[in-house]
Amino acid sequence: MDPASQDINLNSPNKGLVVDNAETLSDVPVEGAVGNAANPLPPGLTEEEAEELRVELTKVEEEINTLRQVLSAKERHATELKRKLGLSPLTELRQNLTKSWQDVQTSNAYLSASATLDDITHSEVYKKTQETLLQAGQKTSAALTTVGTTLSKKLGDMRNSATFKSFEDKVGNLKYKVVGPKGNGEAVSSPTDSTPTQENPPF
């Protein structure tokens, strides 16, 4: 038995047969050649109709591929034109956002909401609430002004009192003792001043 002429496909109906001429098998009809086991013909569809559908499907798929290639070429061309015009993706995004916002402003929902808001702002309840808040703000402002004026007057009176002046003098003397004449912005004492100086400082 010649191994080259033996069919080694285990699923083949001709398994183990010795074939003298390989061309003789091509003429043997194999069951299910038109509608194989993986894709059987649907009921009511003849072999000729199935073949026509396959041919049409092939044409449609070729057209789809052609259209994809045309679309890809057009997109490349559009990108090149945008680049030449200086339109960047950021510029396009900005334009898209502006257009989207304009679309929103002209949409029925936005116009309806705007009309409702206008109705609310012109309603009596809104006007009364606005007047009440305005009056409350004016009263609060007047009260704060009065409190500020009163506090200023009280602080002025307190500053002019004998107790505060005495306290201020004590703080000034303490500062003079701690910081010295420079701290008060006074000129440094000259050698002719009458204040005694130490002849032999400790350091």
Side-chain angles (χ1 to χ4, degrees):
M1 186 188 287
D2 183 13
S5 63
Q6 184 179 7
D7 189 356
I8 58 170
N9 186 352
L10 299 178
N11 294 326
S12 172
N14 300 319
K15 177 173 58 174
L17 294 178
V18 177
V19 180
D20 291 335
N21 190 354
E23 294 176 355
T24 57
L25 283 180
S26 63
D27 296 334
V28 177
V30 180
E31 187 177 349
V34 173
N36 57 20
N39 293 323
L41 287 177
L45 191 65
T46 64
E47 186 179 326
E48 292 82 19
E49 291 172 339
E51 187 60 33
E52 287 176 13
L53 291 176
R54 284 190 198 99
V55 169
E56 186 176 349
L57 177 62
T58 304
K59 287 181 182 177
V60 170
E61 287 176 344
E62 287 173 358
E63 289 175 1
I64 289 171
N65 286 333
T66 303
L67 290 173
R68 281 186 183 141
Q69 291 171 357
V70 170
L71 179 62
S72 177
K74 293 285 185 186
E75 286 175 343
R76 284 193 303 270
H77 185 64
T79 303
E80 182 65 23
L81 292 174
K82 287 177 186 176
R83 187 189 62 75
K84 287 179 179 177
L85 287 171
L87 297 175
S88 66
L90 184 62
T91 307
E92 285 186 66
L93 178 64
R94 194 179 305 126
Q95 289 173 349
N96 289 342
L97 288 175
T98 303
K99 186 179 182 311
S100 298
W101 177 240
Q102 289 171 350
D103 291 345
V104 166
Q105 287 179 323
T106 57
S107 69
N108 289 335
Y110 181 83
L111 294 175
S112 173
S114 295
T116 305
L117 189 59
D118 284 343
D119 292 344
I120 289 172
T121 55
H122 291 95
S123 69
E124 290 299 318
V125 174
Y126 180 82
K127 288 179 182 176
K128 286 180 181 176
T129 305
Q130 191 176 24
E131 288 173 9
T132 305
L133 289 173
L134 183 62
Q135 289 173 358
Q138 289 172 346
K139 288 179 182 176
T140 304
S141 177
L144 289 174
T145 303
T146 304
V147 167
T149 305
T150 305
L151 280 174
S152 296
K153 187 172 186 256
K154 291 287 183 188
L155 285 172
D157 292 347
M158 188 174 82
R159 203 156 179 206
N160 292 330
S161 70
T163 308
F164 187 81
K165 286 191 182 259
S166 172
F167 176 73
E168 194 175 30
D169 288 342
K170 287 178 184 175
V171 170
N173 289 339
L174 180 65
K175 182 178 175 189
Y176 184 78
K177 288 179 183 176
V178 172
V179 178
K182 286 185 184 178
N184 288 332
E186 299 171 1
V188 179
S189 59
S190 65
T192 58
D193 282 349
S194 60
T195 54
T197 58
Q198 276 188 329
E199 290 183 11
N200 297 320
F203 298 114

